């Protein structure tokens, strides 16, 4: 495969549409697909840092269960997880597939790289990005104080990068809200239960979204559940 972190060598002379740079293909077999796997939901344009379109995936796990995996890396920046148009492609595909099943699909499994039902740690984000950290960062850079507490990429607190990665971070809270609302709307319109799997945090836990308890809606009838 080509290395997409070096755009100047991705295409001959750096011009898209020209043959691949021979350096990239020397002693290498590059498989070219004649057509894309129908399970993929391809983004409309390459990501901001990686010259590839996002590849989310939809498929069925038997007759009654559907699976959706969202590619949350290709389009990611510090301020976004996915482009708005990518969400539109994903939800249009899933909605059409479930509708075409004529009620056979009862459950949608959504796979995310990080949890979406997770504690908000904004106070910790504010602390790690505050001026208080400045002198400690200086001591770390000059004398190694704090060891691995700071990363070597941009000199920020290493844990801050992990917090930025989460849907519950301050930078992604609006995108998270919109994603949850669209999932709940899908559950309402298509009469499917949705379960979300997320990794990364090295902690086994379960979180639930549900309607206001004052409404006294049974769980089996609550599309927000």
């Amino acid at each position: 495969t080509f290395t997409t972190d070096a755009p100047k060598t991705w295409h001959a002379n750096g011009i898209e549409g020209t043959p691949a740079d021979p350096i990239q293909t020397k002693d290498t077999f590059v498989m070219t697909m004649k057509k894309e796997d129908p399970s993929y939901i391809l983004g409309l344009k390459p990501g901001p840092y990686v010259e590839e379109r996002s590849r989310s995936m939809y498929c069925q796990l038997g007759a009654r269960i559907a699976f959706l995996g969202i590619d949350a890396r290709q389009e990611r920046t510090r301020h976004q997880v996915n482009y708005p148009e990518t969400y539109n492609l994903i939800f249009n595909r899933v909605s059409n597939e479930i509708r075409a099943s004529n009620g056979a699909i009862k459950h949608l499994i959504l796979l995310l790289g990080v949890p979406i039902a997770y504690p908000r740690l904004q106070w910790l984000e504010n602390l790690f990005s505050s001026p208080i950290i400045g002198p400690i960062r200086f001591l770390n850079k000059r004398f190694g104080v704090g060891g691995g507490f700071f990363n070597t990429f941009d000199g920020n607190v290493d844990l801050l990068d992990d917090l930025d990665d989460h849907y519950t971070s301050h930078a992604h809270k609006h995108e998270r809200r919109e994603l949850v609302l669209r999932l709940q709307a899908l559950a309402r319109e298509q009469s499917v239960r949705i379960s979300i799997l997320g990794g990364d945090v090295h902690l086994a836990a379960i979180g639930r979204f549900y309607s206001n308890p004052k409404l006294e809606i049974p769980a089996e009838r609550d599309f927000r559940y």
Side-chain angles (χ1 to χ4, degrees):
T1 184
F2 302 115
T3 54
T4 56
D5 56 349
K8 290 181 180 178
T9 65
W10 195 27
H11 306 287
N13 304 317
I15 302 171
E16 189 167 355
T18 58
D21 187 333
I23 295 174
Q24 290 278 11
T25 55
K26 184 180 179 181
D27 301 324
T28 303
F29 172 72
V30 179
M31 186 170 121
T32 303
M33 302 293 290
K34 290 186 169 53
K35 62 178 181 178
E36 291 290 351
D37 188 306
S39 297
Y40 285 127
I41 306 170
L42 295 174
L44 295 176
K45 59 183 179 182
Y49 303 118
V50 182
E51 282 197 3
E52 295 284 354
R53 294 156 66 188
S54 63
R55 287 174 178 265
S56 298
M57 175 179 281
Y58 174 88
C59 63
Q60 276 190 233
L61 308 177
R64 297 183 178 276
I65 300 177
F67 171 85
L68 171 65
I70 294 183
D71 180 350
R73 284 295 171 224
Q74 301 282 45
E75 300 171 1
R76 179 180 284 272
T77 68
R78 176 153 280 179
H79 304 290
Q80 76 174 20
V81 180
N82 287 104
Y83 297 133
E85 53 268 34
T86 298
Y87 285 117
N88 292 336
L89 288 172
I90 290 170
F91 279 94
N92 287 340
R93 169 70 181 275
V94 173
S95 184
N96 290 338
E97 294 277 3
I98 295 175
R99 187 181 296 111
S101 77
N102 294 318
I105 295 175
K106 302 294 186 184
H107 200 147
L108 174 66
I109 306 294
L110 170 61
L111 180 66
L112 299 174
V114 293
I116 198 167
Y118 197 72
R120 290 285 312 279
L121 298 174
Q122 190 171 341
W123 63 272
L124 200 55
E125 293 179 58
N126 292 339
L127 175 64
F128 287 159
S129 57
S130 72
I132 299 172
I133 297 295
I136 306 174
R137 185 186 295 116
F138 173 78
L139 292 173
N140 173 266
K141 192 173 182 179
R142 290 292 299 272
F143 307 109
V145 173
F149 185 67
F150 297 90
N151 66 48
T152 56
F153 176 63
D154 58 3
N156 282 322
V157 177
D158 195 48
L159 185 58
L160 182 60
D161 184 60
D162 287 336
L163 294 175
D164 280 343
D165 206 25
H166 285 194
Y167 284 97
T168 50
S169 77
H170 179 73
H172 303 314
K173 66 178 185 178
H174 295 296
E175 186 171 349
R176 170 184 183 264
R177 180 177 181 273
E178 288 303 310
L179 176 55
V180 170
L181 289 176
R182 293 190 75 164
L183 288 170
Q184 292 175 340
L186 178 70
R188 183 186 69 243
E189 294 163 6
Q190 304 290 348
S191 296
V192 292
R193 176 68 71 215
I194 298 176
S195 298
I196 307 172
L197 303 177
D200 186 62
V201 295
H202 308 279
L203 175 70
I206 185 170
R208 292 179 294 180
F209 296 95
Y210 49 86
S211 294
N212 191 324
K214 293 179 180 179
L215 298 175
E216 298 182 352
I217 302 174
E220 65 272 15
R221 294 178 56 195
D222 184 4
F223 66 86
R224 294 187 178 92
Y225 188 91

